Amino acid sequence: MHTVALVVFPQFQALSLSLGSVFECANLLLGDPAYAFRLVSEAGGAVMSSQGFSVNTEALDPAGYDTVIVSGYLEVGLPGQSLLECVLAASAQSWRVASLCTGVFVLAEAGVLAGKRATTHWLHAPAFKKRFPDIQLEEDRLFVVDGQVWTGAGMSAGVDMALAMVEHDLGTDLARRIARKLIIDQRRGGENSQLSALLELDPRSDRVQLTLAYARENLRSDLSVETLAEVARLSPRQFSRVFREETGQTPAKAIESLRVEAAKFMIETSRHPVEVVARETGFGDRERMRQAFLRAFGITPQSMRQAS
């Protein structure tokens, strides 16, 4: 059985606990306990979360676990030296070491990240780079895997990272079934950006949200104002006005952002020719996509692929 230990400490972020559901579902779907999930802390006993409730923990075992994950916490500060030493000792004996959000500061301070690539929540990236300038931080990644060390971004990324761990351990089919059981409509890989074009648009009404969801699922299709207005059940003129009021962008600009985001993901995670990427994301031809990339990122798709 694979033992997973989540290390918590006072004021840990409660959402860190959600990744445990992934391993729990793995056991349920397999009908056999593949994972043993443990909550651990430096001394064991009750530990207070950032939301004011306590959890019961076991004492952190310096002999290590199969996987040890350091949780995040709200304030960017560091636990005491004794906990850092315990984390370092356990990490040295564990098969896989991970952190979530600000937990990366603990791994870095303990010396676990020497010579490794890592990520953290974009909000804390400047503080991390200032404190640990010698560690290569990939601040726009959802999670980063470098050897046996895994580091994740914000709290929801913990579920994505845990799904990737299960996929690594037990295969893609099980990870997909877990995502379905947890009603996760889109599995995100480590290469995904922390910032989503849909999140940035942040529409208020159901009509505009539905239209954007339709657009994301149909990037190859005709996404003219007339088509989107029909999805929203508004006239083209009404739709354009409402869309701009809610998002601050024209429909055409928003659709380009969605297509650029999808194309960037394909460029970074596949070896498809640029022409195929342009076709699959709705740009139609490579020149239109090239111009959109220059507007969004200041570089061409070819340059982005060479740098990835």
Side-chain angles (χ1 to χ4, degrees):
M1 186 183 300
H2 188 112
T3 304
V4 179
L6 178 64
V7 182
V8 298
F9 26 79
Q11 297 304 305
F12 76 94
Q13 285 187 313
L15 193 54
S16 301
L17 301 173
S18 63
L19 59 82
S21 296
V22 173
F23 303 109
E24 179 184 19
C25 283
N27 291 342
L28 288 172
L29 292 173
L30 288 171
D32 195 36
Y35 292 98
F37 187 73
R38 303 280 185 264
L39 275 180
V40 304
S41 63
E42 181 180 2
V47 177
M48 185 70 71
S49 74
S50 61
Q51 293 185 16
F53 64 82
S54 297
V55 295
N56 291 322
T57 68
E58 303 172 4
L60 178 61
D61 186 351
Y65 306 87
D66 293 300
T67 296
V68 58
I69 306 171
V70 178
S71 66
Y73 46 99
L74 286 179
E75 299 297 328
V76 179
L78 289 169
Q81 184 62 33
S82 59
L83 177 57
L84 293 175
E85 292 172 356
C86 286
V87 168
L88 178 60
S91 298
Q93 301 300 318
S94 298
W95 178 67
R96 180 166 54 205
V97 183
S99 66
L100 191 56
C101 195
T102 46
V104 73
F105 284 78
V106 177
L107 293 188
E109 192 71 21
V112 176
L113 296 181
K116 298 290 186 181
R117 296 177 295 109
T119 194
T120 188
H121 191 290
W122 61 267
L123 186 64
H124 303 299
F128 185 90
K129 289 191 289 188
K130 182 177 180 180
R131 187 175 183 90
F132 306 105
D134 295 332
I135 296 175
Q136 182 182 343
L137 189 71
E138 300 186 5
E139 58 190 274
D140 192 38
R141 299 299 193 197
L142 206 60
F143 58 88
V144 169
V145 180
D146 191 343
Q148 88 277 21
V149 178
W150 298 49
T151 51
M155 291 294 100
S156 65
V159 172
D160 298 291
M161 187 169 68
L163 281 169
M165 288 178 177
V166 171
E167 181 173 22
H168 180 274
D169 299 342
L170 299 171
T172 301
D173 180 66
L174 179 60
R176 185 181 296 116
R177 290 167 60 201
I178 293 170
R180 189 179 301 120
K181 184 173 179 60
L182 294 177
I183 318 179
I184 297 171
D185 65 350
Q186 182 184 12
R187 284 190 55 208
R188 301 180 296 176
E191 300 84 359
N192 276 64
S193 172
Q194 294 183 31
L195 300 177
S196 160
L198 279 179
L199 187 61
E200 291 296 304
L201 290 168
D202 194 26
R204 297 187 301 275
S205 71
D206 291 344
R207 285 184 172 182
V208 177
Q209 290 176 9
L210 176 65
T211 304
L212 286 170
Y214 171 85
R216 188 179 67 174
E217 296 301 319
N218 296 274
L219 291 177
R220 292 185 62 182
S221 303
D222 168 36
L223 296 177
S224 64
V225 170
E226 290 74 19
T227 299
L228 297 176
E230 186 175 347
V231 174
R233 298 183 179 179
L234 295 170
S235 71
R237 184 175 179 181
Q238 286 178 309
F239 174 74
S240 294
R241 176 178 57 79
V242 170
F243 191 95
R244 187 153 196 164
E245 287 175 354
E246 293 196 17
T247 68
Q249 296 186 20
T250 65
K253 180 62 177 175
I255 296 306
E256 180 175 288
S257 296
L258 292 176
R259 284 176 166 151
V260 162
E261 182 177 72
K264 177 177 182 287
F265 179 74
M266 287 188 69
I267 288 289
E268 293 179 333
T269 61
S270 77
R271 304 311 301 174
H272 291 306
V274 172
E275 292 82 0
V276 173
V277 175
R279 183 176 67 247
E280 292 297 314
T281 54
F283 283 107
D285 62 72
R286 60 184 299 165
E287 181 56 28
R288 285 182 60 195
M289 186 171 75
R290 178 178 176 276
Q291 292 300 324
F293 266 61
L294 287 172
R295 286 190 290 271
F297 309 118
I299 61 172
T300 66
Q302 293 89 340
S303 297
M304 181 173 287
R305 168 158 286 171
Q306 290 169 3
S308 63

